[in-house]
Amino acid sequence: MSIYIDQSTRVIVQGITGKQGSFHTGQMLAYGTNIVGGISPGKGGQSVEGIPVYDTVFAAVEEQKPDASILFIPAPFVRDAAYEALEAGLKILVLIPEHIPLHDAMDIMAYAKQKEAVIVGPNTFGLVSSGKSKIGIMPNRYFIPGPVGIVSRSGTLCYEIVGQLTEHNIGTTSVVGLGGDRIVGMHFIDVLEQFEADQETKAIILVGEIGGSAEEEAAAYISSSMKKPVIAYLAGKSAPPGKRMGHAGAIIERGRGTFESKVKALSAAGVRVAELPTEVPGLLKNIL
Amino acid sequence: MKLYEYLGKKLFYRYDIPVPRGKLVESAGEAAEAAAEFGEVVIKSQVLSGKRGKSGGIAFAATPAEAKDEAEKILKMRLNDVTVDKILVEEKLNIEQELYLAITVDPAARCPLVLASLDGGMDVEEVAEERMIKWPVDTSIGLQNYMIREICRLMGVGGNLQKEFLKFLPKLYKMFRELDAELAEINPLALTPEGLVAADAKVTIDDDALYRHPQLPRVTEKTALELKAEELDLAYVELGGDIAVMANGAGITMATLDMVQHYGGSPANFLDFGGGADIERTAQALELLLGTNPRVLMINIFGGITRCDVVAEAFVKTRESKGIDLPVAFRMVGTNETEGRAILEKAGIQAFSSMDDAVRHAVELSRA
């Protein structure tokens, strides 16, 4: 099993003819993702990596019946593209771009809620069900099948940890990037619920960072509703308050979102919090 | 982008939100003139940091002469390392009650959040949780009157004050949405015989939406290097230590800084040069790092979209062209790692493959 997606998930790529869109279409196909179409207004009828290009999402839906879409669209145009995919009936949207206006993100989330769709991101590397399908931009070779579920707010840091697991021959069931922005479609809890229910997932790694309260909310959920072991690593221990550390969401504001508050909440919920990212494989080996 | 109080109030005025009469001045003489016009006045330093009142950045004056004295004092102040060069002179309001009102963004509910309290005029952190009413607004229906009535009921507000809120809050919400605000906070919101008046204004506009607001002024708190980084579209924060850090990705950059501190070192900066950087961009990032005169360079590359050979080549070239002889701790794994290592080895640099080893080495070098 895996969560959200597998090899049967039918995927379209919005913005497939762009530099990022076409490159990652190739990478996703190489990983095994079932890409059935691409969208690029005005370029319908062309093809990219052998994948047919359509002018609108509706045109792709008529012919290909997709389930999910990944967006490689410049930030100012993401709201329009996301609305289109939602109205056309897609149930999983992966929003790769960074710098989407905050109010656009709120509008997208409100419409997605009405349409009962799952939004991954924005500002995410996407999600992958290892060995089956990836809808995202993560480097293929590190994502090998195994018993660990990972949910992360950041990309490269997540790769770092997955890379270390790979070195220790530990693979993953699914890996989900929540996104580094302040408003994102999914929080830790949403993904933890899925991992708790997924039979193949034996342990979970939560990769968090300063800012917001998603880690604290996750801690409350873990202590009340989870049986599976959770290990956490949190970035930003040394970050000064009031400064945005790269991610829009990684900021300590008015005394909220501190590293200490998150570690305290997670530890109290029985989560083992790694001091350094390099400690994660060791902690995991003790459990598995 | 945080706005100065006077700029926030200009926006309030544009949205028909009542503000005190006031004048922005830059000298004690002008402050006295303004006081002659308004009578009793409040003199407020225009700085972006909070807690101005506690630091003496706000004063009252009954006469133009007093206004002159107070303005002189404030104009000599440094608040949170910033010199005060502008002050807002405002008519003193006849305040019956000080309230708190704000609209912010709630990441948990993924929507705007109205915050309202009868306990205004103090630090918002000090307001008791149950005295702060919070109402998330579903953007698909927007702020409705029933929400305002409910917020008032929860605050224990009825009668005329509720009517005031019904007039006041929709204007603030309209501004919040139309101007892509992250925060529109009024503390205190003054209840006067004429109704509710915004005695203060803390407005922050979403940087990512500034492109659609060309009419708004641009305000920055950034250092010269941070501004340079912004121009180059690099995520950079100055931190004051002596180990300059560069990595690709916000999370891993933060983790590298944490590790530097864990092993007893002191990071000079946060610099995430992003994924898929080319030679030019990498070189620009490196040049930026040198701006704080660090003792050591720490480069941490986990190549996904970013190619190790590109970073290695950019590093070697920049080092030669700029004559950099700083010691460097280089960690490099991932895409085109072998090619990258070869380039570095030719230049006499041994790259680490573990982040842990590289950071320890950087800290050792900084002590040498």
Side-chain angles (χ1 to χ4, degrees):
Chain A
M1 264 177 61
S2 46
I3 63 171
Y4 299 110
I5 60 168
D6 60 24
Q7 57 273 50
S8 68
T9 308
R10 298 171 70 81
V11 181
I12 56 167
V13 179
Q14 286 175 265
I16 194 170
T17 54
K19 194 176 153 206
Q20 294 283 325
S22 56
F23 173 75
H24 287 291
T25 296
Q27 294 292 307
M28 285 187 279
L29 287 168
Y31 193 75
T33 308
N34 183 17
I35 299 180
V36 297
I39 317 300
S40 190
K43 296 189 176 161
Q46 299 182 6
S47 77
V48 172
E49 303 276 342
I51 301 296
V53 178
Y54 300 89
D55 284 316
T56 68
V57 176
F58 290 93
V61 166
E62 277 171 23
E63 290 194 18
Q64 303 290 350
K65 305 269 176 292
D67 311 299
S69 179
I70 180 167
L71 281 76
F72 295 99
I73 304 257
F77 310 108
V78 168
R79 179 167 57 185
D80 180 53
Y83 279 171
E84 183 186 9
L86 289 168
E87 188 174 348
L90 278 84
K91 292 300 175 204
I92 297 177
L93 260 60
V94 179
L95 309 182
I96 299 296
E98 189 179 3
H99 300 307
I100 293 174
L102 198 55
H103 286 255
D104 290 9
M106 291 193 288
D107 291 340
I108 293 168
M109 301 317 160
Y111 192 45
K113 197 173 165 191
Q114 275 182 41
K115 293 286 179 183
E116 295 176 344
V118 166
I119 306 276
V120 184
N123 192 7
T124 176
F125 59 89
L127 76 170
V128 50
S129 285
S130 297
K132 295 171 182 167
S133 178
K134 75 160 192 177
I135 310 183
I137 59 172
M138 60 294 272
N140 291 357
R141 61 182 173 135
Y142 298 105
F143 294 83
I144 56 168
V148 182
I150 305 184
V151 54
S152 173
R153 276 172 74 186
S154 70
T156 337
L157 180 57
C158 183
Y159 307 164
E160 171 79 36
I161 288 169
V162 174
Q164 286 176 24
L165 297 189
T166 314
E167 267 179 41
H168 289 81
N169 287 316
I170 305 172
T172 46
T173 47
S174 294
V175 179
V176 180
L178 300 176
D181 279 2
R182 275 164 297 174
I183 299 290
V184 289
M186 288 203 294
H187 296 157
F188 286 116
I189 295 181
D190 302 291
V191 183
L192 290 174
E193 261 175 21
Q194 301 278 332
F195 279 137
E196 181 71 8
D198 177 47
Q199 286 177 4
E200 280 178 14
T201 302
K202 305 295 179 211
I204 295 127
I205 301 173
L206 181 156
V207 186
E209 62 193 30
I210 52 158
S213 58
E215 289 80 4
E216 287 87 339
E217 286 149 25
Y221 175 78
I222 291 166
S223 88
S224 71
S225 314
M226 286 187 76
K227 292 204 171 67
K228 292 182 183 173
V230 181
I231 289 168
Y233 173 73
L234 305 171
K237 187 179 184 182
S238 62
K243 294 279 185 186
R244 279 217 154 90
M245 304 304 275
H247 283 154
I251 179 167
I252 299 166
E253 282 172 307
R254 303 165 167 220
R256 288 171 197 266
T258 63
F259 179 83
E260 292 73 22
S261 139
K262 291 170 192 302
V263 171
K264 198 177 149 200
L266 287 165
S267 304
V271 174
R272 265 155 286 199
V273 183
E275 185 97 355
L276 300 171
T278 41
E279 289 171 11
V280 172
L283 288 174
L284 204 53
K285 278 196 167 166
N286 291 341
I287 290 171
L288 292 173
Chain B
M1 177 180 75
K2 282 187 197 163
L3 294 179
Y4 292 103
E5 177 191 6
Y6 75 94
L7 290 172
K9 282 181 169 166
K10 268 191 192 169
L11 297 179
F12 284 178
Y13 184 76
R14 203 195 294 162
Y15 278 83
D16 199 27
I17 296 166
V19 292
R21 287 187 303 154
K23 205 168 200 174
L24 184 73
V25 303
E26 294 182 23
S27 72
E30 287 173 291
E33 281 169 33
E37 189 185 335
F38 299 140
E40 270 189 78
V41 290
V42 191
I43 293 168
K44 305 172 91 177
S45 56
Q46 296 298 291
V47 289
L48 293 171
S49 55
K51 317 229 190 292
R52 271 181 312 179
K54 281 184 186 160
S55 338
I58 296 176
F60 294 90
T63 64
E66 270 179 46
K68 189 164 179 271
D69 286 351
E70 295 295 344
E72 248 164 28
K73 274 189 230 161
I74 290 178
L75 282 169
K76 279 183 201 144
M77 278 180 188
R78 282 181 70 80
L79 296 173
N80 278 344
D81 269 356
V82 182
T83 323
V84 179
D85 56 5
K86 287 188 177 64
I87 46 185
L88 181 62
V89 181
E90 279 185 340
E91 61 171 337
K92 185 165 176 272
L93 294 171
N94 184 3
I95 299 179
E96 293 170 354
Q97 197 180 345
E98 292 192 328
L99 315 168
Y100 174 92
L101 184 64
I103 307 178
T104 180
V105 169
D106 182 3
R110 307 171 181 89
C111 66
L113 185 74
V114 175
L115 297 159
S117 176
L118 292 177
D119 301 337
M122 57 161 120
D123 275 356
V124 59
E125 293 90 346
E126 286 166 22
V127 177
E129 193 71 15
E130 71 278 4
R131 298 273 296 167
M132 181 62 79
I133 307 308
K134 297 178 182 171
W135 195 273
V137 180
D138 183 341
T139 53
S140 55
I141 55 173
L143 182 77
Q144 300 294 324
N145 281 346
Y146 76 84
M147 301 174 186
I148 303 172
R149 288 193 299 267
E150 183 59 14
I151 290 167
C152 285
R153 184 184 73 87
L154 293 168
M155 276 197 292
V157 161
N160 280 335
L161 187 49
Q162 178 184 306
K163 278 186 199 143
E164 279 292 313
F165 269 103
L166 283 163
K167 273 195 295 184
F168 196 96
L169 196 45
K171 294 173 191 169
L172 190 66
Y173 183 78
K174 185 169 192 274
M175 187 196 93
F176 180 81
R177 289 286 283 165
E178 285 183 3
L179 297 183
D180 282 292
E182 291 175 16
L183 175 72
E185 182 183 59
I186 304 170
N187 188 22
L189 173 63
L191 180 61
T192 72
E194 290 76 39
L196 290 171
V197 180
D200 195 8
K202 213 175 259 172
V203 178
T204 308
I205 306 294
D206 175 18
D207 287 336
D208 290 333
L210 282 176
Y211 72 91
R212 49 191 180 204
H213 302 289
Q215 82 287 0
L216 288 178
R218 297 299 190 255
V219 178
T220 185
E221 300 169 85
K222 293 186 168 137
T223 65
L225 282 174
E226 285 171 351
L227 282 173
K228 173 93 176 128
E230 187 177 83
E231 241 171 69
L232 299 170
D233 196 25
L234 293 164
Y236 176 85
V237 179
E238 244 173 275
L239 296 173
D242 56 7
I243 302 176
V245 174
M246 174 170 128
N248 59 328
I252 204 166
T253 310
M254 266 188 273
T256 310
L257 302 179
D258 295 348
M259 220 180 223
V260 166
Q261 209 172 60
H262 179 85
Y263 287 118
S266 174
N269 66 279
F270 170 101
L271 198 168
D272 164 18
F273 72 112
D278 58 12
I279 292 194
E280 195 191 348
R281 191 173 166 76
T282 308
Q284 285 167 340
L286 275 167
E287 281 177 41
L288 198 69
L289 279 188
L290 300 172
T292 52
N293 298 317
R295 296 188 59 182
V296 180
L297 290 177
M298 162 78 223
I299 301 173
N300 185 7
I301 305 302
F302 192 99
I305 326 174
T306 305
R307 285 168 42 189
C308 291
D309 55 331
V310 169
V311 178
E313 197 181 328
F315 178 76
V316 173
K317 276 191 179 162
T318 310
R319 192 169 75 151
E320 273 167 23
S321 68
K322 299 280 162 191
I324 306 166
D325 56 1
L326 282 177
V328 58
F330 218 119
R331 185 275 180 128
M332 198 158 75
V333 291
T335 311
N336 291 3
E337 181 180 327
T338 321
E339 294 87 335
R341 281 177 184 279
I343 294 168
L344 289 180
E345 263 163 39
K346 236 185 186 174
I349 301 161
Q350 191 73 40
F352 291 89
S353 54
S354 128
M355 179 166 163
D356 208 83
D357 294 342
V359 172
R360 278 192 227 208
H361 185 60
V363 174
E364 270 166 33
L365 288 172
S366 77
R367 286 177 178 154

